[in-house]
């Protein structure tokens, strides 16, 4: 599966700062410095049955900022993202709408690529579907079976959470607190015969009318969590720098994925840090496909909204906060975009080196995008009030906003 085209990241004078970011597993903001020249990032991708709403865009914007801060600090970035192109929600939507599930997945994945291109999100080096990862999933499940960490139940294969002594470290949840969340987010704690209610599905045996593949595990398809583990281990290995996604993935998805990988490899930790973006709401509720309260990037684009304004609307909120989308968000972003473009269109202006330093400091300290926006706002206000004699300033501002925020002026 291919990703989307990369926009060029302008070079900036000097070098950025080390990234400090909130790690869910330690509940603290801490420095995440890659051991070598290459930073390794895995971000969980979409289930392509309804893409791309602003909740998605906010999440991928978060990890686009991570890449940009790392690149500015002198690192190469190896970024991997998956596409869950076979799963229950996708199959259910296909049945409900009378569509072929493969065509639905292909169409929505293509739309996601278009939206990411328009928003100037840096693409992953490896963009991998669940279906194409089955050859890597099968030996991983076989390894878990061989160690006794997995077991069969009526033809399905489950992972035993008791096999991982570190289970619970990612989300920080106790098992009693996990149970209702597990049920809400794709788990089956009430299934009879499981060793523990929290045990997670690794392999689902074929069901009538559902897609399945012939493998050494039998005729079936993979579970949700093992998909990301197989892809991450293939391209990143253990102890990669950041596992990312929305805050609703900390449990069970990231917790289970870490447990699968740690038991299969005998190594710990799966990732050095777990970084989670907040949820975006509309009309008082989190944007969700099940509720249908979605604002789509593609719809805004069709209405003529500049993607740079969409991105600025997202950047106005700190990535870890839950927030609610309103028309005012977009209006303020459009006004900001117009001010900035007017400011950099002049032939000279106030010196911008201080603004660049402020932007770097804000973004390096837990991706404080609102702080970075405020630094540019101050420069633009000074430009509008008094101007300046530095002929290089507007160009530096334009390059900094592009390189660090992904916004083309």
């Amino acid at each position: 599966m291919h990703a989307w085209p990369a926009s060029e990241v302008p070079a900036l004078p000097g070098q950025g700062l080390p990234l400090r970011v909130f790690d869910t597993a330690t509940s603290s903001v801490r420095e995440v410095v890659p051991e070598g020249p290459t930073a390794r990032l895995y971000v969980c991708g979409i289930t392509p049955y309804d893409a791309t709403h602003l909740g998605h865009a906010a999440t991928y914007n978060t990890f686009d900022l991570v890449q940009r801060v790392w690149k500015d600090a002198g690192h190469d970035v190896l970024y991997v993202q998956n596409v869950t192109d076979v799963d229950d929600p996708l199959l259910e939507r296909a049945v409900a709408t009378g569509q072929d599930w493969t065509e639905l997945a292909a169409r929505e994945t293509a739309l996601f690529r278009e939206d990411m291109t328009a928003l100037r999100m840096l693409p992953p080096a490896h963009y991998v579907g669940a279906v194409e990862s089955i050859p890597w999933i099968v030996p991983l499940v076989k390894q878990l079976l061989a160690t006794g960490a997995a077991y069969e139940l009526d033809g399905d294969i489950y992972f035993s959470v008791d096999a991982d002594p570190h289970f619970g470290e990612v989300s920080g949840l106790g098992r009693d607190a996990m149970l209702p969340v597990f049920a809400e987010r794709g788990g089956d704690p009430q299934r009879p015969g499981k060793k523990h209610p929290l045990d997670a599905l690794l392999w689902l045996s074929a069901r009538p009318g559902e897609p399945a593949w012939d493998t050494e595990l039998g005729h079936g398809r993979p579970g949700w969590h093992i998909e990301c583990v197989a892809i991450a281990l293939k391209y990143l290995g253990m102890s990669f720098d950041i596992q990312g996604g929305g805050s609703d993935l900390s449990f069970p998805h990231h917790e289970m994925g870490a447990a699968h990988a740690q038991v299969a490899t005998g190594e710990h930790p799966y990732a050095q840090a777990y970084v989670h973006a907040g949820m975006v709401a509309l009309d008082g509720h989190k944007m969700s496909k099940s509720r249908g309260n979605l604002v789509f990037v593609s719809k805004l684009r069709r209405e003529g909204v500049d993607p740079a304004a969409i991105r600025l609307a997202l950047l106005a909120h700190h990535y870890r906060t839950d927030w609610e989308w309103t028309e005012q968000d977009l209006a303020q972003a459009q006004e900001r975009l117009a001010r900035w473009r007017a400011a950099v269109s002049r032939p000279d202006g106030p010196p911008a080196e201080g603004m660049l330093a402020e932007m770097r400091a804000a973004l390096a300290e837990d991706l404080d995008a609102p702080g970075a926006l405020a630094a540019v706002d101050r420069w633009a206000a000074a430009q509008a009030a008094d101007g300046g004699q530095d002929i290089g300033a507007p160009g530096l501002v334009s390059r900094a906003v592009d390189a660090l925020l992904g916004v083309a002026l």
Side-chain angles (χ1 to χ4, degrees):
M1 187 175 289
H2 64 276
W4 52 93
S7 57
E8 185 178 352
V9 178
L12 298 175
Q15 187 166 294
L17 302 171
L19 175 64
R20 286 169 45 83
V21 70
F22 186 86
D23 172 24
T24 300
T26 60
S27 296
S28 64
V29 175
R30 63 182 188 84
E31 194 169 293
V32 180
V33 179
E35 290 184 0
T38 300
R40 295 174 294 161
L41 170 67
Y42 187 95
V43 180
C44 296
I46 60 167
T47 301
Y49 63 93
D50 217 1
T52 313
H53 61 70
L54 288 176
H56 290 134
T59 294
Y60 299 115
N61 186 64
T62 297
F63 298 100
D64 190 74
L65 292 181
V66 168
Q67 292 187 79
R68 292 173 185 275
V69 171
W70 270 337
K71 285 176 179 290
D72 188 47
H75 297 287
D76 295 324
V77 180
L78 179 56
Y79 172 30
V80 180
Q81 187 182 133
N82 72 303
V83 183
T84 305
D85 56 356
V86 60
D87 198 20
D88 288 344
L90 171 64
L91 301 178
E92 290 164 4
R93 175 62 62 86
V95 170
T97 58
Q99 302 177 75
D100 178 270
W101 68 273
T102 59
E103 293 177 0
L104 173 61
R107 185 181 69 247
E108 295 301 325
T109 302
L111 180 57
F112 177 75
R113 291 191 191 98
E114 292 173 11
D115 288 336
M116 293 297 100
T117 302
L119 292 172
R120 305 182 80 252
M121 304 289 185
L122 298 175
H126 302 285
Y127 190 53
V128 188
V131 172
E132 64 186 294
S133 68
I134 289 174
W136 317 325
I137 292 171
V138 171
L140 197 57
V141 175
K142 289 178 66 180
Q143 170 69 13
L144 291 169
L145 283 167
T147 62
Y151 60 92
E152 292 191 35
L153 177 60
D154 300 328
D156 300 333
I157 301 175
Y158 279 88
F159 174 79
S160 175
V161 295
D162 288 332
D164 182 20
H166 301 284
F167 184 72
E169 288 182 355
V170 173
S171 64
L173 296 175
R175 294 197 179 191
D176 288 344
M178 288 177 177
L179 282 168
V181 182
F182 189 55
E184 292 167 6
R185 296 178 181 172
D188 56 355
Q190 301 303 321
R191 181 171 181 179
K194 292 172 62 175
K195 292 182 178 180
H196 191 284
L198 290 170
D199 289 351
L201 190 68
L202 294 169
W203 186 262
L204 182 73
S205 61
R207 268 49 170 179
E210 294 187 0
W213 289 262
D214 287 318
T215 73
E216 295 176 63
L217 300 174
H219 193 56
R221 59 183 170 91
W224 176 27
H225 316 301
I226 195 68
E227 162 202 347
C228 284
V229 173
I231 296 168
L233 290 181
K234 178 173 178 61
Y235 290 109
L236 299 175
M238 284 293 286
S239 297
F240 56 91
D241 295 291
I242 288 179
Q243 162 78 83
S247 60
D248 56 347
L249 296 184
S250 64
F251 185 85
H253 190 50
H254 290 168
E255 189 76 69
M256 294 296 182
H260 294 353
Q262 287 158 182
V263 173
T265 64
E267 300 177 30
H268 176 270
Y270 177 49
Q272 293 295 328
Y274 296 85
V275 178
H276 294 107
M279 297 290 101
V280 181
L282 179 70
D283 300 330
H285 298 279
K286 184 194 86 168
M287 285 190 191
S288 68
K289 297 170 183 177
S290 59
R291 187 176 289 275
N293 60 330
L294 304 175
V295 177
F296 291 102
V297 171
S298 56
K299 183 174 185 295
L300 292 174
R301 291 196 293 116
R302 286 195 303 270
E303 292 171 352
V305 176
D306 190 324
I310 299 173
R311 183 144 186 169
L312 281 175
L314 301 175
L315 290 164
H317 301 271
H318 190 269
Y319 80 96
R320 279 199 285 126
T321 62
D322 296 336
W323 55 281
E324 183 161 355
W325 172 265
T326 67
E327 290 299 322
Q328 186 178 9
D329 284 288
L330 183 57
Q332 290 175 341
Q334 290 170 321
E335 189 273 335
R336 172 175 271 143
L337 182 62
R339 279 192 288 110
W340 288 8
R341 283 178 170 165
V344 300
S345 68
R346 295 172 62 173
D348 50 29
E353 289 78 10
M355 181 218 69
L356 173 58
E358 290 176 29
M359 290 182 70
R360 281 173 160 159
L363 292 171
E365 184 60 27
D366 201 22
L367 303 176
D368 181 10
L373 298 187
V376 184
D377 284 340
R378 286 190 288 273
W379 182 88
Q383 172 77 303
D386 302 314
Q389 302 301 313
D390 187 341
I391 60 173
L396 177 57
V397 172
S398 183
R399 291 193 302 277
V401 169
D402 189 347
L404 299 178
L405 299 178
V407 175
L409 299 179

